[in-house]
Amino acid sequence: MSWQNIRIETERLILRPTQPEDFDGWAALMADEENSRHIGGPVPRAVAWRGFLTMAGAWAMQGFAMFSVIEKRTGQWIGRMGPWYPEGWPGHEIGWGLARSAWGKGYALEGAIACMDFAFDELGWDDVIHSIEPANTPSQAVARKLGSQLRGPGRLPAPFESVPVEIWGQTRDEWKRRA
């Protein structure tokens, strides 16, 4: 299957590759201090554009990247989540970052479950991590609900090498056993 045709639907979400019309939502997410504090911090629109193109480029070069998350009920872009593995990363990651309007609705868990299935079943990954800042207790809760375990401290590549992260994760076998 070509990456351009990938589309995952859950009960309330559509997960699909990045498209040009997603940028305004992406830029707003990355400009908001509270929204972006655990995913690199707030950046101006021009810097957000470069990050947005990085995600689109990962789709083209690797055949996977974080999905744009669309709320079915409204058709609104509400975040990004999914597989992520840039150069120097500590492992194959399933990550998530949602707009503040989507917090507290269970969307992170709902979408992350679909992304875990995609990573193990479609991408053939044997292991998945989540790199989470120690202060990000909501993401730790999502990782726990997924069945991931805290593996210990980790290190991200530049320019994030000074950001403390903990590595949470699980193997394909652990994921399959949870069901």
Side-chain angles (χ1 to χ4, degrees):
M1 171 187 288
S2 168
W3 65 265
Q4 292 101 331
N5 298 324
I6 295 172
R7 178 184 170 105
I8 299 171
E9 292 197 31
T10 68
E11 181 182 341
R12 301 176 296 162
L13 305 173
I14 297 168
L15 308 175
R16 59 155 173 75
T18 307
Q19 295 180 1
E21 62 268 21
D22 302 337
F23 180 64
D24 285 337
W26 178 290
L29 176 98
M30 294 309 299
D32 182 280
E33 188 169 340
E34 183 66 16
N35 257 347
S36 66
R37 75 180 162 128
H38 297 298
I39 55 173
V43 297
R45 190 174 171 90
V47 174
W49 175 249
R50 292 190 283 281
F52 181 75
L53 291 184
T54 296
M55 199 64 66
W59 275 107
M61 298 298 291
Q62 294 178 302
F64 66 87
M66 288 194 189
F67 295 98
S68 282
V69 182
I70 310 300
E71 186 181 46
K72 280 185 180 178
R73 184 179 57 79
T74 64
Q76 293 295 115
W77 186 96
I78 59 167
R80 64 186 195 201
M81 70 170 53
W84 184 237
Y85 189 56
E87 174 69 27
W89 217 247
H92 290 91
E93 179 159 21
I94 296 295
W96 47 84
L98 295 175
R100 200 182 309 204
S101 64
W103 291 2
K105 298 179 180 179
Y107 289 158
L109 181 62
E110 181 178 330
I113 289 169
C115 291
M116 295 284 285
D117 284 339
F118 177 78
F120 288 129
D121 297 342
E122 302 299 322
L123 298 178
W125 291 0
D126 293 320
D127 191 77
V128 162
I129 67 162
H130 322 288
S131 53
I132 302 173
E133 288 185 19
N136 190 348
T137 55
S139 281
Q140 293 167 8
V142 171
R144 274 190 203 94
K145 288 175 184 174
L146 290 169
S148 293
Q149 300 291 317
L150 176 60
R151 294 179 172 174
R155 185 177 171 115
L156 300 179
F160 305 109
E161 69 273 17
S162 64
V163 175
V165 295
E166 296 172 335
I167 303 298
W168 293 71
Q170 64 184 291
T171 66
R172 174 203 311 264
D173 291 340
E174 290 167 335
W175 179 250
K176 296 301 180 187
R177 279 197 302 270
R178 90 189 193 327

